[in-house]
Amino acid sequence: MYAGATNGLAGESGCGKTWTALAAAAAELEDSNNVIYIDMEDGPIGLTARMLALGVPPGVLADPVRFAYVRPEEAFRDDVRSIFWALLDQMRPSLVVLDSTGESMALEGTDPNSDDAVALWFQRVATAIATRGPAVLLLDHLPKSDSAAPSPIGSQRKRAAISGAQFIQTIGKEMAFAKGRPGQARLTATKDRHGNFVTGEVSMTLTVNPAPSRGTSSVDALLGPIQDDEWAPTRHMLGISEFLEANQSPQTTAAIKKGVKGKSETVLAALQVLVASGYVTTSSGGRNATLHELVKAFSIGDAYSVPDGVSEGGAPAGGCGHPWHDAKCNPDWCHATHRGRCNKRTEDGYVLDDDGEIVSYPPEMVRQREEQLRRIAEREES
């Protein structure tokens, strides 16, 4: 967020905009800066609970010079403005969050669809605050059913009046977060007056992970750069990591696919990424099975490396995810003929050719057959 400028963050309801604002506020407080949070959406109890969950010390939140919670109940008239200017002079905050633009405009009696009215609101409220030094972050909503919109709902003057950067926040498939559930949101820059972000590209991510070491309700919410690697099934990667950590022993591919929710091919792709990224190691087990052991836990937002051949959708490019024939697979033929038995056979010790036909049987089965033949031969001799 740019200091001395108005910055916008818009998104659909439930995309985690407030968590992004709180993560930014927590980061400023951690850097010994001061923050003012103008809240017209939540309430002092809810917002304080979230800040505590992020690990902000209670003493910092209680310090009137470090953090100020403001809940306006009347318009930003001259008398109210003078009180707020005094607060700014006392605190000299690096960040002022306004949550949200729509509620503030309603309190001011501003028509959000009127260019002139919106321009006047910025002049009297948001821009007036920014000109006194802090970065101002304005939270707003998007037009209904249009998460690709480049600007918030209402007049285009909202976007035009942004003097810093405007971001649109979205949540990808299966990445929504809630209490006890990790996830990730993406922030796409749709305007940047200073040219540090490429318009139309994802500029940063908000990663939310439970932090049980600090308490059952604690979370880590971090704003960071976008992962440079290709697509990866991070939700499934987290599931595999938790499964291996819970079992505390090497697990076969079949056990992982059975124990982790998701499509078999997506779980397999996630496992490949974890191995390539050094989170999981492999070793040979009985009956030619591959065992997987957790080296270090994976959390959403951690760095990873996507191996060649893994594509969005889960299956290795050109194949269906069956390790015994990989890219040589003809999915239509394989699934219709073998119905997924290929992997089970290899894990049971069978050796298959490229068409899935048996080349050799498991050693134990061979031993049992040899024993049966020996007994038959002994009976015939006697």
Side-chain angles (χ1 to χ4, degrees):
M1 309 301 169
Y2 293 110
T6 53
N7 305 271
L9 176 63
E12 296 179 336
S13 296
C15 73
K17 297 186 297 293
T18 298
W19 278 115
T20 298
L22 292 175
E28 291 298 313
L29 292 171
E30 186 176 4
D31 289 341
S32 299
N33 296 318
N34 304 328
V35 173
I36 296 177
Y37 202 104
I38 305 173
D39 178 28
M40 308 176 78
E41 293 275 354
D42 192 351
I45 296 177
L47 189 130
T48 301
R50 291 203 203 188
M51 291 293 277
L52 291 172
L54 287 172
V56 179
V60 172
L61 296 177
D63 187 341
V65 177
R66 298 295 318 283
F67 181 76
Y69 175 87
V70 178
R71 189 170 183 84
E73 296 181 352
E74 53 187 332
F76 205 50
R77 301 188 309 267
D78 290 343
D79 55 337
V80 176
R81 190 194 312 268
S82 62
I83 296 174
F84 191 76
W85 291 163
L87 180 63
L88 283 177
D89 292 340
Q90 177 190 8
M91 293 184 62
R92 298 190 179 279
S94 62
L95 174 66
V96 174
V97 178
L98 178 55
D99 188 2
S100 67
T101 301
E103 292 297 326
S104 177
M105 287 186 175
L107 188 62
E108 297 292 323
T110 300
D111 179 359
N113 296 306
S114 168
D115 289 350
D116 292 341
V118 168
L120 181 59
W121 179 87
F122 267 89
Q123 179 184 342
R124 287 180 49 80
V125 182
T127 303
I129 296 173
T131 56
R132 301 180 82 89
V136 176
L137 176 58
L138 307 172
L139 305 192
D140 209 340
H141 296 283
L142 287 176
K144 290 184 177 180
S145 303
D146 191 3
S147 60
S151 58
I153 190 171
S155 168
Q156 291 299 308
R157 285 294 302 174
K158 285 184 176 181
R159 183 168 181 267
I162 293 295
S163 57
Q166 173 70 55
F167 299 95
I168 302 299
Q169 181 160 318
T170 56
I171 293 182
K173 183 180 179 181
E174 297 184 351
M175 294 304 289
F177 46 85
K179 185 176 181 179
R181 176 185 170 93
Q184 191 174 72
R186 293 189 168 194
L187 281 70
T188 301
T190 58
K191 178 180 181 179
D192 181 9
R193 282 283 181 87
H194 302 272
N196 290 306
F197 301 105
V198 179
T199 301
E201 292 187 3
V202 177
S203 304
M204 65 185 79
T205 59
L206 170 72
T207 302
V208 178
N209 282 296
S213 61
R214 295 202 311 267
T216 56
S217 299
S218 296
V219 296
D220 287 325
L222 302 174
L223 284 167
I226 186 68
Q227 169 69 255
D228 290 332
D229 288 303
E230 306 166 76
W231 168 90
T234 51
R235 175 74 70 187
H236 296 79
M237 290 161 64
L238 175 64
I240 293 172
S241 177
E242 292 176 342
F243 175 78
L244 291 175
E245 187 172 18
N247 282 277
Q248 297 183 341
S249 63
Q251 299 291 310
T252 64
T253 305
I256 292 172
K257 290 194 293 184
K258 183 178 180 180
V260 178
K261 291 183 179 180
K263 293 182 179 179
S264 176
E265 56 266 28
T266 307
V267 173
L268 180 61
L271 187 57
Q272 291 175 312
V273 177
L274 287 173
V275 172
S277 304
Y279 293 95
V280 173
T281 58
T282 61
S283 60
S284 298
R287 298 183 178 180
N288 292 330
T290 299
L291 298 177
H292 300 82
E293 185 172 6
L294 187 67
V295 176
K296 57 180 178 179
F298 173 82
S299 296
I300 290 178
D302 288 349
Y304 57 79
S305 177
V306 181
D308 293 339
V310 174
S311 61
E312 186 163 359
C320 70
H322 289 184
W324 62 276
H325 55 179
D326 197 14
K328 299 177 182 179
C329 172
N330 178 336
D332 294 334
W333 171 86
C334 173
H335 295 173
T337 306
H338 286 263
R339 301 187 184 280
R341 293 194 299 270
C342 316
N343 285 339
K344 181 65 169 61
R345 283 178 173 172
T346 57
E347 287 161 4
D348 285 343
Y350 290 86
V351 176
L352 309 178
D353 63 16
D354 289 343
D355 292 326
E357 301 302 328
I358 297 174
V359 175
S360 63
Y361 292 86
E364 180 62 21
M365 182 179 293
V366 172
R367 188 193 66 77
Q368 291 176 355
R369 287 188 176 183
E370 290 177 347
E371 179 66 19
Q372 289 175 347
L373 291 174
R374 185 184 64 78
R375 290 177 180 176
I376 292 173
E378 288 178 350
R379 285 200 299 268
E380 290 178 349
E381 289 177 359
S382 61

